[in-house]
């Protein structure tokens, strides 16, 4: 197994490590009390250069549930970052104050910079449009809980596959498994980036699809992401395509019995509220799984360091 | 080339970079950080006739050895370049840069073209890249994963 010094990209860890994280998450979920003092005396810094609700709160909850303490900032306007302090300097400050750092930053490459300057493990809470590795891991955990095994699954990724930072992390993770099949559904403007697709070429069975309805019957998982208005050059293009990327009970009329719908949240209309009551809806449970998965990541990364 | 034909005299110690594509020597000086205030003697010959290349450039650097990173940077600009290490007026080592390149990672030379790459901000890091393909050139930023195409790389050189 590789060293687990930092987690800034899914490419930093191998399949064995992914499986260890998922296994530990399950152990923690089954018996949280057993892990309630694992982080006694340890401090987590949460450094968020960009707003976040779920990622930051679930990491803080994870650390508190492990018996540790948290400090940090979630609004760069109130920190010296506003004065132009670099990532490197902010990290050198944070590693003096804590045992592990979770950082979200709007710049790509920021996670790599942080990991190079930190003496303690750095976990990415999202870096620009590049990656969001812990979201991908909690997504995998949700799928594994549901189906027992990730191998053999057919997964549809829908929405903004170009700027959604979890998409590359998910694809890199899927590519580590033997036979996951992926369908990619998005407006033309929001197709997965060529760099990401070339990374998984030959390693993952994927295809770019035009119409969700043609293949939805094959899916075990439909993973929905938000299509944002501001990503389109003009409003009329957005208005034209947005309907194809909204999930309603009708969309799900002809799906596999055990198929599930996931979404990293927050959703803004791309899954109608009626779907919440359907047996396929798994996005709120997915969010809950974030805490178990992040507890596992913290536990394993501090075990190694 | 005989002494009679030489534009610039031999150097006692240092490095000669030969077979640089015509007109690329100034880019190499820039990459090697050789500017107006450089303290050692540097000779640059531009558009020299060459049997194999038609025209070529040559750079002679006195009292300067090249690091691996510098060799890689030169190789990106001048893939056919040949380096001679001069020691007491004699060639102590002569090699094609291409033959010396063992890793496909390099730093310096280029600026990442992704405007939201952390290396383009006030960070104490030197951009690093993986050379994915030599011809046509394709490089990838090791920080932000942006892939840069030859036409865009050439604009920077």
């Amino acid at each position: 197994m590789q060293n687990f010094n930092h987690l800034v990209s899914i490419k930093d860890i191998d399949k064995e490590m992914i499986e260890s994280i998922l296994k530990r998450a399950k152990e923690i979920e089954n018996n949280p009390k057993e892990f309630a003092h694992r982080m006694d005396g340890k401090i987590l810094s949460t450094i968020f250069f960009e707003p976040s609700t779920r990622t930051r709160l679930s990491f803080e909850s994870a650390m508190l549930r492990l018996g540790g303490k948290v400090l940090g900032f979630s609004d760069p306007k109130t920190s010296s970052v506003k004065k132009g302090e670099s990532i490197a300097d902010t990290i050198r400050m944070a590693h003096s104050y804590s045992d592990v750092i979770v950082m979200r930053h709007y710049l790509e490459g920021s996670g790599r910079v942080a990991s190079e300057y930190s003496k303690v493990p750095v976990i990415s809470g999202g870096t620009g449009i590049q990656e969001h590795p812990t979201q991908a891991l909690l997504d995998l955990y949700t799928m594994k809980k549901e189906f027992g095994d990730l191998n053999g699954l057919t997964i549809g990724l829908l929405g903004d596959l170009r700027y959604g930072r979890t998409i590359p992390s998910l694809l890199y993770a899927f590519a580590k498994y033997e036979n996951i099949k992926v369908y990619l559904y998005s407006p033309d403007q929001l197709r997965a980036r060529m760099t990401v697709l070339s990374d998984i070429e030959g390693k993952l069975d994927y295809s770019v699809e035009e119409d969700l309805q043609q293949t939805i019957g094959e899916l075990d998982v439909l993973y929905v992401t938000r299509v944002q208005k501001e990503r389109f050059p003009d409003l009329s293009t957005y208005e034209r395509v947005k309907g194809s990327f909204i999930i309603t009970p009708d969309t799900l009329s002809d799906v596999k019995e055990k198929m599930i719908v996931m979404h990293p949240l927050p959703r803004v209309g791309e899954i109608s509220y009626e779907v919440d009551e359907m047996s396929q809806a798994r996005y709120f449970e997915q969010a809950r799984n974030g805490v178990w998965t992040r507890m596992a990541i913290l536990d394993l990364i501090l075990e190694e360091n | 080339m005989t002494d009679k034909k030489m534009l610039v005299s031999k150097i006692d110690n240092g490095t000669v970079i030969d077979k640089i594509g015509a007109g690329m020597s100034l880019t190499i000086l820039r990459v090697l950080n050789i500017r107006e205030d450089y303290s050692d003697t540097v000779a640059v010959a531009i558009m020299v006739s060459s049997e194999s290349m038609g025209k070529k450039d040559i750079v002679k650097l006195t009292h300067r050895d090249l690091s691996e990173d510098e060799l890689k940077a030169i190789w990106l600009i001048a893939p056919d370049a040949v380096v001679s290490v001069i020691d007491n007026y004699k060639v102590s080592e002569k090699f094609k840069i291409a033959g010396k390149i063992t890793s496909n990672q390099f730093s310096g030379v280029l600026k990442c073209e992704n405007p939201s790459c952390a290396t383009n901000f006030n960070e104490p890091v030197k951009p690093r890249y993986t050379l994915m393909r030599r011809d046509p050139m394709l490089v990838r930023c090791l920080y932000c994963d942006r892939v840069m195409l030859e036409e865009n790389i050439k604009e920077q050189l």
Side-chain angles (χ1 to χ4, degrees):
Chain A
M1 204 181 320
Q2 286 165 313
N3 289 337
F4 194 24
N5 297 326
H6 303 285
L7 179 58
V8 300
S9 164
I10 285 286
K11 287 185 277 186
D12 293 346
I13 55 174
D14 56 16
K15 184 186 160 197
E16 211 181 338
M17 181 53 78
I18 293 178
E19 285 293 315
S20 300
I21 292 167
L22 305 184
K23 184 166 169 260
R24 183 65 57 92
K26 188 75 198 147
E27 288 161 7
I28 294 172
E29 184 178 1
N30 288 344
N31 196 356
K33 276 189 183 152
E34 201 181 298
F35 294 84
H37 295 286
R38 296 281 288 187
M39 296 290 139
D40 279 355
K42 303 267 192 216
I43 296 173
L44 163 72
S45 284
T46 53
I47 299 181
F48 280 71
F49 291 82
E50 206 185 54
S52 153
T53 310
R54 251 155 295 272
T55 304
R56 186 172 61 84
L57 287 182
S58 72
F59 259 115
E60 292 186 357
S61 168
M63 191 62 177
L64 295 171
R65 283 167 191 266
L66 288 165
K69 291 187 166 54
V70 295
L71 53 84
F73 62 83
S74 56
D75 179 6
K77 290 189 200 74
T78 61
S79 77
S80 59
V81 167
K82 199 188 167 214
K83 298 173 196 157
E85 188 172 38
S86 65
I87 298 165
D89 285 0
T90 307
I91 286 293
R92 284 185 279 211
M93 171 271 297
H95 78 198
S96 317
Y97 301 159
S98 57
D99 303 282
V100 55
I101 296 168
V102 174
M103 183 184 85
R104 168 172 291 184
H105 203 289
Y106 48 86
L107 293 177
E108 288 91 56
S110 51
R112 194 67 65 212
V113 171
S115 68
E116 286 174 7
Y117 285 87
S118 179
K119 289 186 178 152
V120 303
V122 172
I123 300 168
S124 165
T127 48
I129 61 167
Q130 191 177 14
E131 272 203 62
H132 193 356
T134 66
Q135 176 69 45
L137 287 167
L138 78 89
D139 296 336
L140 294 187
Y141 181 63
T142 305
M143 293 176 203
K144 195 176 167 88
K145 246 171 90 174
E146 194 70 32
F147 298 100
D149 191 0
L150 296 167
N151 282 312
L153 292 183
T154 301
I155 299 161
L157 302 180
L158 176 115
D160 181 353
L161 309 184
R162 185 172 186 79
Y163 300 104
R165 56 181 151 216
T166 307
I167 300 300
S169 296
L170 278 173
L171 291 172
Y172 296 151
F174 295 156
K176 293 176 196 283
Y177 287 82
E178 285 76 42
N179 57 341
I180 291 180
K181 162 102 185 127
V182 175
Y183 288 120
L184 303 171
Y185 314 97
S186 68
D188 288 346
Q189 299 85 341
L190 300 179
R191 286 196 175 160
R193 296 190 293 278
M194 280 310 296
T195 315
V196 176
L197 294 181
S198 69
D199 282 344
I200 56 168
E201 198 64 56
K203 298 176 194 155
L204 179 67
D205 178 9
Y206 75 89
S207 68
V208 175
E209 296 293 324
E210 297 293 329
D211 182 8
L212 172 64
Q213 284 307 324
Q214 277 187 7
T215 39
I216 197 167
E218 295 175 40
L219 301 181
D220 297 299
V221 178
L222 175 61
Y223 191 99
V224 184
T225 63
R226 188 151 46 106
V227 173
Q228 290 167 287
K229 221 185 304 192
E230 52 272 29
R231 300 293 187 198
F232 289 83
D234 57 86
L235 203 59
S236 62
T237 315
Y238 168 73
E239 292 296 339
R240 201 171 62 241
V241 304
K242 75 171 183 192
S244 319
F245 299 91
I246 293 175
I247 306 303
T248 64
D250 280 350
T251 324
L252 303 174
S253 58
D254 194 17
V255 297
K256 277 188 185 174
E257 195 192 335
K258 291 190 171 170
M259 179 259 211
I260 59 168
V261 176
M262 295 173 63
H263 190 301
L265 303 178
R267 67 172 154 173
V268 186
E270 53 278 2
I271 299 178
S272 73
Y273 290 128
E274 291 86 0
V275 177
D276 298 358
E277 309 305 324
M278 297 176 71
S279 62
Q280 287 88 2
R282 213 54 97 250
Y283 25 94
F284 296 118
E285 189 175 338
Q286 182 185 352
R288 251 194 320 276
N289 288 334
V291 176
W292 312 124
T293 312
R294 287 172 172 133
M295 285 172 82
I297 293 165
L298 288 169
D299 194 33
L300 282 166
I301 212 163
L302 282 169
E303 206 169 80
E304 288 226 359
N305 293 277
Chain B
M1 195 184 285
T2 65
D3 282 359
K4 257 193 281 181
K5 278 185 173 176
M6 282 183 87
L7 283 173
V8 195
S9 59
K10 285 184 173 180
I11 59 173
D12 56 350
N13 285 291
T15 304
V16 176
I17 311 165
D18 195 2
K19 299 208 171 180
I20 300 167
M24 297 310 288
S25 51
L26 298 178
T27 308
I28 289 179
L29 295 187
R30 187 159 48 79
V31 164
L32 296 178
N33 227 355
I34 294 170
R35 298 172 203 280
E36 310 83 75
D37 57 352
Y38 193 67
S39 54
D40 274 308
T41 306
V42 174
V44 181
I46 298 177
M47 297 289 178
V48 178
S49 292
S50 155
E51 271 180 32
S52 59
M53 300 173 75
K55 294 278 182 192
K56 66 175 181 180
D57 287 6
I58 304 170
V59 172
K60 294 186 175 188
L61 309 163
T62 56
H63 310 127
R64 171 111 179 222
D65 295 328
L66 297 174
S67 69
E68 201 185 326
D69 271 354
E70 288 171 332
L71 286 174
K72 279 185 187 166
I74 294 168
W75 178 65
L76 287 180
I77 298 157
D80 302 317
V82 173
V83 166
S84 301
V85 180
I86 311 295
D87 191 8
N88 199 19
Y89 294 103
K90 294 223 164 58
V91 176
S92 66
E93 198 189 350
K94 188 172 180 175
F95 56 86
K96 280 188 169 178
I97 296 187
K100 281 264 177 180
I101 307 295
T102 50
S103 126
N104 63 348
Q105 291 194 3
F106 65 97
S107 64
V109 197
L110 300 175
K111 194 171 162 303
C112 181
E113 68 179 23
N114 175 5
S116 63
C117 174
T119 61
N120 285 324
F121 289 78
N122 183 30
E123 298 297 334
V125 294
K126 210 171 170 186
R128 277 190 290 135
Y129 305 90
T130 302
L131 181 74
M132 299 167 72
R133 196 174 60 205
R134 185 65 186 79
D135 192 22
M137 209 189 290
L138 204 61
V139 306
R140 178 179 184 138
C141 174
L142 276 169
Y143 285 88
C144 78
D145 291 325
R146 172 69 69 103
V147 170
M148 294 158 68
L149 305 172
E150 176 155 309
E151 61 217 67
N152 300 328
I153 296 166
K154 286 225 159 123
E155 275 176 21
Q156 285 196 42
L157 295 177

